Coordinates of all heavy atoms in Angstrom, one line a residue:
L293 N 0.8 -1.2 0.0 CA 0.0 0.0 0.0 C 0.8 1.3 0.0 O 0.3 2.4 0.0 CB -0.9 0.0 1.2 CG -2.0 -1.0 1.3 CD1 -2.8 -0.9 2.6 CD2 -2.9 -0.9 0.1
V294 N 2.2 1.1 0.1 CA 3.0 2.3 0.2 C 2.8 3.3 -0.9 O 2.6 4.5 -0.7 CB 4.5 1.9 0.4 CG1 5.4 3.1 0.3 CG2 4.7 1.2 1.7
F295 N 3.0 2.9 -2.2 CA 3.0 3.8 -3.3 C 1.6 4.5 -3.4 O 1.6 5.8 -3.5 CB 3.2 3.0 -4.6 CG 3.1 3.9 -5.8 CD1 4.2 4.8 -6.1 CD2 2.0 4.0 -6.6 CE1 4.1 5.6 -7.2 CE2 1.9 4.8 -7.7 CZ 3.0 5.6 -8.0
T296 N 0.5 3.8 -3.3 CA -0.8 4.4 -3.4 C -1.0 5.4 -2.2 O -1.5 6.5 -2.4 CB -1.9 3.3 -3.4 OG1 -1.6 2.4 -4.5 CG2 -3.3 3.9 -3.6
T297 N -0.7 4.9 -1.0 CA -0.9 5.8 0.1 C -0.1 7.0 0.1 O -0.5 8.1 0.5 CB -0.7 5.0 1.4 OG1 -1.5 3.8 1.4 CG2 -1.1 5.8 2.6
E298 N 1.2 6.9 -0.4 CA 2.0 8.1 -0.5 C 1.4 9.1 -1.5 O 1.4 10.3 -1.2 CB 3.4 7.7 -1.0 CG 4.3 7.1 0.0 CD 5.7 6.8 -0.6 OE1 5.8 6.5 -1.8 OE2 6.7 6.8 0.1
L299 N 0.8 8.6 -2.6 CA 0.2 9.5 -3.5 C -1.1 10.1 -2.9 O -1.3 11.4 -3.1 CB -0.2 8.6 -4.8 CG -0.8 9.4 -5.9 CD1 0.1 10.5 -6.4 CD2 -1.1 8.5 -7.1
I300 N -1.9 9.4 -2.2 CA -3.1 9.9 -1.6 C -2.7 11.0 -0.6 O -3.2 12.1 -0.6 CB -3.9 8.8 -0.9 CG1 -4.5 7.9 -1.9 CG2 -4.9 9.4 0.1 CD1 -5.0 6.6 -1.4
V301 N -1.7 10.7 0.3 CA -1.2 11.7 1.3 C -0.7 12.9 0.6 O -1.0 14.0 1.1 CB -0.2 11.0 2.2 CG1 0.6 12.0 3.1 CG2 -0.9 10.0 3.2
S302 N 0.1 12.7 -0.4 CA 0.7 13.9 -1.1 C -0.4 14.8 -1.6 O -0.4 16.1 -1.5 CB 1.5 13.5 -2.3 OG 2.7 12.9 -1.9
E303 N -1.5 14.3 -2.2 CA -2.6 15.1 -2.7 C -3.3 15.8 -1.6 O -3.6 17.0 -1.7 CB -3.5 14.2 -3.6 CG -3.0 13.7 -4.9 CD -2.7 14.8 -5.8 OE1 -3.3 15.9 -5.8 OE2 -1.8 14.6 -6.7
L304 N -3.6 15.0 -0.6 CA -4.4 15.6 0.5 C -3.6 16.7 1.3 O -4.2 17.7 1.7 CB -4.9 14.5 1.5 CG -5.9 13.6 0.8 CD1 -6.4 12.5 1.9 CD2 -7.1 14.3 0.3
V305 N -2.4 16.4 1.6 CA -1.5 17.4 2.3 C -1.3 18.6 1.5 O -1.4 19.7 2.0 CB -0.2 16.7 2.8 CG1 0.8 17.8 3.3 CG2 -0.5 15.7 3.9
T306 N -1.1 18.4 0.2 CA -0.9 19.6 -0.7 C -2.1 20.5 -0.7 O -2.0 21.7 -0.6 CB -0.5 19.1 -2.2 OG1 0.7 18.4 -2.1 CG2 -0.4 20.3 -3.1
N307 N -3.3 19.8 -0.8 CA -4.5 20.6 -0.8 C -4.7 21.3 0.6 O -5.1 22.5 0.6 CB -5.7 19.7 -1.0 CG -5.9 19.3 -2.5 OD1 -5.2 19.9 -3.3 ND2 -6.8 18.4 -2.7
A308 N -4.4 20.6 1.7 CA -4.5 21.2 3.0 C -3.6 22.4 3.1 O -4.0 23.5 3.6 CB -4.2 20.2 4.1
I309 N -2.4 22.3 2.7 CA -1.4 23.5 2.7 C -1.9 24.6 1.8 O -1.9 25.8 2.2 CB 0.0 23.0 2.4 CG1 0.5 22.1 3.4 CG2 0.9 24.2 2.2 CD1 1.8 21.4 3.0
R310 N -2.3 24.3 0.6 CA -2.7 25.3 -0.3 C -4.0 26.0 0.0 O -4.1 27.2 -0.1 CB -2.8 24.6 -1.7 CG -3.1 25.6 -2.8 CD -3.0 24.9 -4.1 NE -3.1 25.9 -5.2 CZ -3.0 25.6 -6.5 NH1 -2.8 24.4 -6.9 NH2 -3.1 26.6 -7.4
Y311 N -5.0 25.2 0.5 CA -6.3 25.8 0.7 C -6.7 26.0 2.2 O -7.6 26.7 2.5 CB -7.4 25.0 0.0 CG -7.1 24.9 -1.5 CD1 -6.8 23.7 -2.0 CD2 -7.3 26.0 -2.3 CE1 -6.5 23.6 -3.4 CE2 -7.0 25.9 -3.7 CZ -6.7 24.7 -4.2 OH -6.4 24.6 -5.6
G312 N -6.0 25.3 3.1 CA -6.4 25.3 4.5 C -5.5 26.0 5.4 O -5.9 26.6 6.4
G313 N -4.2 26.0 5.1 CA -3.2 26.6 5.9 C -2.7 25.7 7.0 O -3.1 24.6 7.1
A314 N -1.8 26.3 7.8 CA -1.2 25.5 8.9 C -2.0 25.7 10.2 O -2.7 26.7 10.3 CB 0.2 26.0 9.1
P315 N -1.9 24.7 11.1 CA -1.2 23.5 11.0 C -1.9 22.4 10.2 O -3.2 22.4 10.2 CB -1.0 23.0 12.4 CG -2.2 23.6 13.1 CD -2.6 24.9 12.4
V316 N -1.2 21.5 9.6 CA -1.7 20.3 8.9 C -1.4 19.1 9.7 O -0.2 18.9 10.1 CB -1.2 20.2 7.5 CG1 -1.6 19.0 6.8 CG2 -1.6 21.5 6.7
G317 N -2.4 18.3 9.9 CA -2.2 17.0 10.7 C -2.4 15.8 9.8 O -3.2 15.9 8.8
L318 N -1.6 14.7 10.0 CA -1.8 13.5 9.3 C -1.9 12.4 10.3 O -1.1 12.3 11.3 CB -0.5 13.3 8.4 CG -0.4 11.9 7.8 CD1 -1.6 11.6 6.8 CD2 0.9 11.7 7.1
R319 N -2.8 11.5 10.1 CA -3.0 10.3 11.0 C -3.3 9.1 10.1 O -4.2 9.2 9.2 CB -4.1 10.6 12.0 CG -4.2 9.5 13.0 CD -5.1 10.0 14.2 NE -6.5 10.0 13.8 CZ -7.5 9.7 14.7 NH1 -7.2 9.6 16.0 NH2 -8.7 9.7 14.3
L320 N -2.6 8.0 10.4 CA -2.9 6.7 9.7 C -3.4 5.8 10.8 O -2.9 5.7 11.9 CB -1.6 6.1 9.1 CG -1.0 6.8 8.0 CD1 0.3 6.1 7.6 CD2 -1.9 6.9 6.8
I321 N -4.5 5.1 10.4 CA -5.1 4.2 11.4 C -5.3 2.8 10.7 O -5.8 2.7 9.6 CB -6.5 4.7 11.8 CG1 -6.4 6.1 12.4 CG2 -7.2 3.7 12.7 CD1 -7.7 6.8 12.6
R322 N -4.7 1.8 11.3 CA -4.9 0.4 10.8 C -6.0 -0.2 11.5 O -5.9 -0.5 12.7 CB -3.6 -0.4 10.9 CG -3.7 -1.7 10.4 CD -2.4 -2.5 10.6 NE -2.6 -3.8 10.0 CZ -1.7 -4.8 10.1 NH1 -0.6 -4.6 10.8 NH2 -1.9 -6.0 9.6
D323 N -7.1 -0.5 10.9 CA -8.2 -1.1 11.5 C -8.6 -2.2 10.5 O -7.8 -2.9 9.9 CB -9.3 -0.1 11.7 CG -10.4 -0.6 12.6 OD1 -10.2 -1.5 13.4 OD2 -11.5 0.0 12.6
Q324 N -9.9 -2.4 10.2 CA -10.4 -3.3 9.2 C -10.0 -2.8 7.8 O -9.9 -3.6 6.9 CB -11.9 -3.6 9.3 CG -12.3 -4.2 10.6 CD -13.8 -4.3 10.8 OE1 -14.5 -3.8 10.0 NE2 -14.2 -5.1 11.8
R325 N -9.7 -1.6 7.7 CA -9.2 -0.9 6.5 C -8.1 0.0 6.9 O -8.0 0.4 8.1 CB -10.3 -0.2 5.8 CG -11.3 -1.0 5.1 CD -12.2 -0.3 4.1 NE -13.0 -1.2 3.4 CZ -14.3 -1.4 3.6 NH1 -14.9 -0.7 4.5 NH2 -14.9 -2.2 2.8
L326 N -7.3 0.5 6.0 CA -6.3 1.5 6.3 C -7.0 2.9 6.1 O -7.6 3.2 5.1 CB -5.1 1.5 5.3 CG -4.1 2.6 5.5 CD1 -3.4 2.5 6.9 CD2 -3.1 2.5 4.4
I327 N -7.0 3.6 7.2 CA -7.7 4.9 7.2 C -6.6 6.0 7.3 O -5.7 5.9 8.1 CB -8.6 5.1 8.4 CG1 -9.7 4.0 8.4 CG2 -9.2 6.5 8.5 CD1 -10.5 3.9 9.6

């Protein structure tokens, strides 16, 4: 899942920085799915 998740995180973090501002938080949760 590394490649796909890196791509997802890159897109979401870029959007957060560009449109939301700081601070930006990231959290990964391993449950029945990867969140």
Side-chain angles (χ1 to χ4, degrees):
L293 293 177
V294 169
F295 178 78
T296 303
T297 307
E298 283 180 331
L299 185 55
I300 291 165
V301 166
S302 290
E303 291 296 335
L304 295 181
V305 168
T306 298
N307 283 353
I309 291 168
R310 186 172 187 177
Y311 302 111
V316 173
L318 170 64
R319 186 164 78 148
L320 294 176
I321 302 166
R322 181 182 180 188
D323 196 21
Q324 294 175 352
R325 292 196 168 102
L326 176 64
I327 300 168

